[in-house]
Amino acid sequence: QKEVEQNSGPLSVPEGAIASLNCTYSDRGSQSFFWYRQYSGKSPELIMSIYSNGDKEDGRFTAQLNKASQYVSLLIRDSQPSDSATYLCAVETGSARQLTFGSGTQLTVLP
Amino acid sequence: GAVVSQHPSWVICKSGTSVKIECRSLDFQATTMFWYRQFPKQSLMLMATSNEGSKATYEQGVEKDKFLINHASLTLSTLTVTSAHPEDSSFYICSARGPGQIYEQYFGPGTRLTVT
């Protein structure tokens, strides 16, 4: 069974700090990785995609991928209270390229 | 770009009735659409994958006769929950993906179903 594991949290950081979210996956054949943000009662919103080993930066967000270690992470710099949400790691698997989601990490940024 | 809509956003129905949920890709053609279900405090669980013009592929444990999926066009997929029961109450979310090898899935806003 293809699995995606996330540090379940909850994670609390002070405003302005760096929040670090981690994810591991079991399917070595996976090629595409995504981070979604989900506010309570809302649907997931795509914030980062990463396909190659290394870092990918977009504004305050940096995704890191290490396929050898089957590890993907998300760093949020200068965290803001509006970043408080559940962050879902998703890995694309299968011939239909379905997404398998981790259980999510609940992040709270304290003002 | 990449906007996905769902309708209705919430629905309350009586046990035993059927409910139809629509999912539309507004500014792109979605070759594949996915239907997810999310219970409170849990992550998203994929229910089925649908490709335009073909039968949906259901995940293990999902009753295809209860959750009818139709993907009649490149911009519209529907999920019908037949003979709904209170245990079907959940947050149903669709996502859509266009053609190509690298193309993210974009999610609709979700439909909250309550069966009384």
Side-chain angles (χ1 to χ4, degrees):
Chain A
Q1 183 176 355
K2 301 178 177 64
E3 293 183 349
V4 178
E5 302 280 346
Q6 290 185 245
N7 45 339
S8 58
L11 175 66
S12 294
V13 299
E15 184 173 356
I18 296 175
S20 177
L21 307 166
N22 303 314
C23 174
T24 59
Y25 60 94
S26 63
D27 184 5
R28 284 196 169 274
S30 299
Q31 297 294 321
S32 303
F33 308 87
F34 307 91
W35 284 99
Y36 287 85
R37 177 175 63 196
Q38 187 175 26
Y39 292 111
S40 181
K42 303 294 185 182
S43 69
E45 172 192 9
L46 179 67
I47 54 172
M48 288 289 283
S49 59
I50 187 166
Y51 309 104
S52 304
N53 280 330
D55 295 359
K56 179 182 178 182
E57 186 175 318
D58 184 0
R60 295 186 296 111
F61 299 98
T62 298
Q64 299 173 318
L65 174 61
N66 183 325
K67 290 184 180 179
S69 300
Q70 295 175 242
Y71 173 87
V72 59
S73 67
L74 179 70
L75 298 178
I76 306 174
R77 290 183 301 281
D78 188 25
S79 295
Q80 302 297 309
S82 58
D83 295 327
S84 298
T86 296
Y87 288 80
L88 299 167
C89 172
V91 177
E92 198 172 81
T93 59
S95 58
R97 298 165 54 212
Q98 306 97 317
L99 289 181
T100 299
F101 284 87
S103 57
T105 298
Q106 185 176 346
L107 171 67
T108 301
V109 180
L110 304 170
Chain B
V3 178
V4 178
S5 70
Q6 266 183 259
H7 178 81
S9 55
W10 60 270
V11 58
I12 301 174
C13 71
K14 292 187 181 298
S15 187
T17 61
S18 296
V19 173
K20 180 184 284 188
I21 302 170
E22 291 187 349
C23 176
R24 293 181 185 273
S25 56
L26 299 184
D27 52 2
F28 66 102
Q29 293 186 326
T31 52
T32 306
M33 288 185 169
F34 303 86
W35 287 94
Y36 297 84
R37 181 166 53 181
Q38 187 176 36
F39 293 107
K41 305 294 186 185
Q42 295 185 23
S43 192
L44 280 75
M45 295 300 296
L46 179 65
M47 298 176 67
T49 302
S50 74
N51 292 295
E52 185 265 338
S54 60
K55 289 184 179 180
T57 301
Y58 291 80
E59 294 300 301
Q60 191 172 8
V62 178
E63 301 174 58
K64 62 180 181 181
D65 295 330
K66 181 173 183 61
F67 298 100
L68 303 178
I69 292 172
N70 183 277
H71 192 160
S73 76
L74 285 171
T75 59
L76 172 65
S77 176
T78 60
L79 167 66
T80 301
V81 183
T82 63
S83 186
H85 291 284
E87 57 265 31
D88 298 323
S89 299
S90 187
F91 192 39
Y92 291 87
I93 313 171
C94 73
S95 71
R97 188 183 67 219
Q101 289 300 309
I102 297 179
Y103 209 98
E104 297 91 350
Q105 282 189 35
Y106 292 90
F107 284 82
T111 297
R112 192 161 302 282
L113 170 64
T114 301
V115 184
T116 61

